[in-house]
């Protein structure tokens, strides 16, 4: 038999296949209409079938395969089939509208666009205008014209050779300011981070992971899925966050990865107890800041300390709280093995000492290859010594734990002073009766920006005057919000991130015509 050519990422999956692939479950899909089980033998056969189907359609190594479909196990087989065919997987958020899809297709120029059959009529002309030659469909139940093509294709495939530097995926950033950019992720970026995380978090083939995240984002697609793939474990696959079902699954599971909303929603379930979570060994949170209060409430209810980690589309995961050792609420832990992280002065680039807040920069095998077709943007985001400027402001404390203070663009400059929103948010959140808050800068005629807090009040929360009075004693005057606004809930995106840009837009005129207040 001829020697098989190397496919960097899929070879890693092969290297960790269970001894008897047909006897081991890779995915158990838990949907309202029932359960379906897919073994590692199914993974091999189905990803080969998709790879064959793609090649038969004319998809060549290096071509992009853009995919905007509902979550299902088939999407993962298509992801792996794309990687095996040497092509580049490009998932798109299912919430994107036709004009948004038009931008992504025009920018990425995929060879094939896969969408939900229900949207094919609407999106076919969009794909056509973008010059995309092929359109196929796949629905949330794993059916559609691409699934049919895979059914008809053979279930053995000779993986196309791909080296560590070749692209495996392009993930577009969520683009809350400016245009969304395509982050180019290589085989080695994905493979190295999966191995690092699996080791750091002690994953083995005995793990059963609750997977209720979307699969168009780095958290659900790469962190969760790849960690299981490189350890030969099992996933319990839910179409979306469903606290009651998650609770019911915990006695059969060992780990869960979620965004902070998972934890706040689960905390509202009366069934969340030590007994209900006794079989679990690990709860991971990331993609948005986990409130220290949520961390504590979770510990009280379950006896488990949530492990918070920090990463981004461009870099995969950068830091993690320790598996053994103190998982400190409000921090994102230490740089992962192989990842260099530093905090520098945002203007001068000079390295800062412990406890000093500045721009977080990272370097390592996890860091992406650059923005798709944006060489200038890529050059602007990398330092000459190879460090990537994350855009996140933070600090490293005296014990080496990394703290995220907020996005650089969320920094408020008022009367020439820098104000870091998180410091103000922490003070407000600690007041009795306050559920949560978001602090933003709004255009102000005298100060440039006026510090403004948008607060979700709970029972017994103080009113505007009460919040301001409480903050007066603990914050320097320039940091104190000029106004406190109240709302029922903060606007969040699919990954649970507070959309401060939405808040800034909707309150942009608040200080128009104000003089010094
Ligand atoms: P995304 O590219 O959508 O994954 O977003 C990445 C951004 O999410 C980072 O640059 C951070 O601003 C934020 N983020 C991710 N994890 C955390 C965390 N644990 N705490 C605070 N912010 C986080």
């Amino acid at each position: 038999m001829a020697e098989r050519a190397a496919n960097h990422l899929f070879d890693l999956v092969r290297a960790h296949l269970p001894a008897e692939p047909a006897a081991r479950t890779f995915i158990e899909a838990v949907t309202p209409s029932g359960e379906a089980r897919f073994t590692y033998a199914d993974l091999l056969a189905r990803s080969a079938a998709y790879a064959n189907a793609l090649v038969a359609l004319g998809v060549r190594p290096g071509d992009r395969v853009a995919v905007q479909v509902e979550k299902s196990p088939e999407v993962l087989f298509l992801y792996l089939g794309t990687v095996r065919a040497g092509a580049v997987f490009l998932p798109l958020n299912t919430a994107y509208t036709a004009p948004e899809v038009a931008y992504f297709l025009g920018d990425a120029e995929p060879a094939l666009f896969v969408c939900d059959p229900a949207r094919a009529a609407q999106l076919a002309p969009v794909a056509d205008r973008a010059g995309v030659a092929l359109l196929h469909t796949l629905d949330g139940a794993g059916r559609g014209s691409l699934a049919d093509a895979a059914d008809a294709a053979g279930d053995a495939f000779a993986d196309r050779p791909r080296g560590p530097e070749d692209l495996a995926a392009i993930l577009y950033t969520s683009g809350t300011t400016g245009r969304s950019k395509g982050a180019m992720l290589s085989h080695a970026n994905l493979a190295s981070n999966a191995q690092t995380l699996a080791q750091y978090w002690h994953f083995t083939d005995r793990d059963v992971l609750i997977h209720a995240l979307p699969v168009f984002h780095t958290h659900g697609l790469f962190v969760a899925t790849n960690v299981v793939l490189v350890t030969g474990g099992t996933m319990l696959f839910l179409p979306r966050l469903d606290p009651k079902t998650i609770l019911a699954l915990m006695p059969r599971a060992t780990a869960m990865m979620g965004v902070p909303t998972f934890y706040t929603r689960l905390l509202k379930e009366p069934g969340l107890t030590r007994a209900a979570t006794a079989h679990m060994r690990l709860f991971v949170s990331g993609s948005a800041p986990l409130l220290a209060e949520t961390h504590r409430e979770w510990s009280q209810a379950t006896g488990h300390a949530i492990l918070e980690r920090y990463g981004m589309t461009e870099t995969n995961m950068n830091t993690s709280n320790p598996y053994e050792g103190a998982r400190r609420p409000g921090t994102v832990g230490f740089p992962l093995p192989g990842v260099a992280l530093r905090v520098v002065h945002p203007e001068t680039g000079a390295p800062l000492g412990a406890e000093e807040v500045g721009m977080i920069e990272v370097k390592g095998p996890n860091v992406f290859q650059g923005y798709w077709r944006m060489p200038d943007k890529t050059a602007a985001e990398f330092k000459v010594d190879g460090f990537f400027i994350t855009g996140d402001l933070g600090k490293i404390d005296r014990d080496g734990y990394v703290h995220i203070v907020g996005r650089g663009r969320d920094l408020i400059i008022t009367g020439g002073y820098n104000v870091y929103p998180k410091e103000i948010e922490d003070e407000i959140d600690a007041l009795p009766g306050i559920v949560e808050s978001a602090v933003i800068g709004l255009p102000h005629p005298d100060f440039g920006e006026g510090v403004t807090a948008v607060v979700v009040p709970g029972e017994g929360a103080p009113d505007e005057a009460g919040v301001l009075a409480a903050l007066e004693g603990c914050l320097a005057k320039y940091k104190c919000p000029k106004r406190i606004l109240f709302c029922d809930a903060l606007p969040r995106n699919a990954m649970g991130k507070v959309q401060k840009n939405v808040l800034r837009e909707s309150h942009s005129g608040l200080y128009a015509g104000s003089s010094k207040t």
Side-chain angles (χ1 to χ4, degrees):
M1 204 170 90
E3 205 178 307
R4 204 167 35 80
N7 179 297
H8 189 79
L9 182 57
F10 202 73
D11 282 354
L12 189 69
V13 176
R14 284 185 187 281
H16 293 92
L17 283 174
E20 286 181 68
R24 168 75 62 159
T25 302
F26 168 48
I27 297 182
E28 191 178 313
V30 184
T31 64
S33 55
E35 295 180 8
R37 205 169 75 92
F38 299 87
T39 66
Y40 275 86
D42 295 326
L43 176 161
L44 281 175
R46 205 63 194 152
S47 61
Y50 277 106
N52 277 319
L54 295 180
V55 171
L57 285 169
V59 174
R60 290 159 312 174
D63 281 350
R64 277 78 56 212
V65 175
V67 178
Q68 190 194 32
V69 299
E70 294 300 328
K71 180 178 179 179
S72 76
E74 289 294 286
V75 184
L76 294 191
F77 301 141
L78 173 57
Y79 153 52
L80 294 171
T82 306
V83 168
R84 294 181 68 179
V88 181
F89 190 66
L90 195 160
L92 292 172
N93 191 323
T94 43
Y96 287 145
T97 60
E100 286 165 328
V101 170
Y103 165 73
F104 294 112
L105 298 185
D107 191 54
E109 295 187 303
L112 165 67
F113 175 47
V114 187
C115 71
D116 195 281
R119 294 188 72 196
Q122 181 201 17
L123 293 175
V126 173
D128 210 37
R129 275 196 296 276
V132 180
L134 299 163
L135 183 133
H136 274 275
T137 61
L138 190 63
D139 70 11
R143 285 186 295 264
S145 64
L146 192 65
D148 293 344
D151 288 347
D155 59 8
F157 183 79
D159 302 338
R160 295 293 185 263
R162 289 277 99 179
E165 309 304 323
D166 286 319
L167 294 192
I170 294 179
L171 251 61
Y172 276 83
T173 58
S174 44
T176 42
T177 55
R179 257 186 349 148
S180 193
K181 305 180 285 288
M184 301 190 286
L185 296 157
S186 69
H187 278 237
N189 290 150
L190 302 182
S192 68
N193 210 234
Q195 283 176 296
T196 301
L197 294 175
Q199 263 181 24
Y200 205 73
W201 295 340
H202 294 204
F203 269 81
T204 71
D205 60 355
R206 290 182 303 281
D207 272 303
V208 178
L209 178 79
I210 296 176
H211 189 306
L213 291 160
V215 289
F216 52 72
H217 185 268
T218 184
H219 197 165
L221 181 60
F222 298 139
V223 183
T225 304
N226 286 351
V227 160
V228 170
L229 279 171
V230 302
T231 48
T234 295
M235 290 197 277
L236 303 177
F237 220 54
L238 280 68
R240 61 189 59 81
L241 170 60
D242 169 0
K244 287 203 167 36
T245 306
I246 288 180
L247 257 186
L249 291 173
M250 281 188 191
R252 293 205 282 133
T254 61
M256 183 178 85
M257 295 185 194
V259 298
T261 321
F262 278 43
Y263 295 98
T264 50
R265 293 272 304 277
L266 276 159
L267 275 165
K268 293 195 178 121
E269 291 293 322
L272 185 82
T273 60
R274 279 174 190 255
T277 55
H279 196 255
M280 299 287 288
R281 70 167 184 89
L282 181 63
F283 291 98
V284 177
S285 177
S287 295
L290 181 80
L291 292 179
E293 189 191 335
T294 309
H295 194 288
R296 285 189 205 101
E297 283 176 15
W298 190 267
S299 288
Q300 272 161 18
T302 68
H304 290 276
I306 299 172
L307 184 153
E308 186 171 7
R309 95 299 178 278
Y310 154 64
M312 58 197 301
T313 301
E314 290 94 326
T315 64
N316 297 285
M317 298 306 105
N318 295 313
T319 74
S320 169
N321 267 279
Y323 188 79
E324 278 149 1
R327 300 176 190 165
R328 289 209 183 150
T331 82
V332 293
F334 307 111
L336 286 162
V339 178
L341 182 146
R342 67 187 182 195
V343 176
V344 305
H345 190 284
E347 273 97 50
T348 65
L352 296 176
E355 304 289 348
E356 288 185 296
V357 172
M359 179 59 70
I360 297 178
E361 298 182 346
V362 295
K363 184 177 174 179
N366 51 315
V367 176
F368 74 137
Q369 307 301 299
Y371 293 112
W372 171 255
R373 289 183 180 165
M374 289 187 179
D376 294 346
K377 190 79 197 156
T378 303
E381 304 291 336
F382 279 92
K383 292 283 184 66
V384 279
D385 58 1
F387 273 80
F388 172 64
I389 307 167
T390 62
D392 287 316
L393 295 167
K395 65 173 188 181
I396 304 175
D397 69 19
R398 287 198 178 78
D399 298 327
Y401 286 81
V402 177
H403 300 236
I404 310 285
V405 172
R407 293 293 294 163
R409 60 173 179 264
D410 294 335
L411 174 75
I412 303 166
I413 304 181
T414 182
Y417 289 108
N418 287 1
V419 175
Y420 299 105
K422 179 139 191 301
E423 186 187 352
I424 326 295
E425 289 160 5
D426 285 348
E427 294 292 346
I428 297 176
D429 294 348
L431 297 176
I434 301 282
V435 178
E436 59 174 342
S437 62
V439 169
I440 52 173
L442 295 177
H444 191 290
D446 285 328
F447 295 98
E449 285 185 298
V451 180
T452 310
V454 183
V455 170
V456 180
E459 233 179 75
D463 61 7
E464 179 169 19
V467 174
L468 289 173
L471 295 179
E472 226 166 67
C474 48
L475 290 173
K477 191 160 180 349
Y478 73 89
K479 294 183 189 172
C480 282
K482 309 224 171 308
R483 289 291 314 271
I484 310 288
L485 309 176
F486 292 92
C487 68
D488 292 339
L490 296 174
R492 288 195 141 82
N493 71 8
M495 299 309 294
K497 286 186 221 297
V498 175
Q499 293 168 302
K500 290 196 170 176
N501 55 325
V502 172
L503 291 175
R504 279 192 290 259
E505 274 159 33
S506 46
H507 300 294
S508 60
L510 188 68
Y511 300 115
S514 300
S515 59
K516 282 188 201 302
T517 42

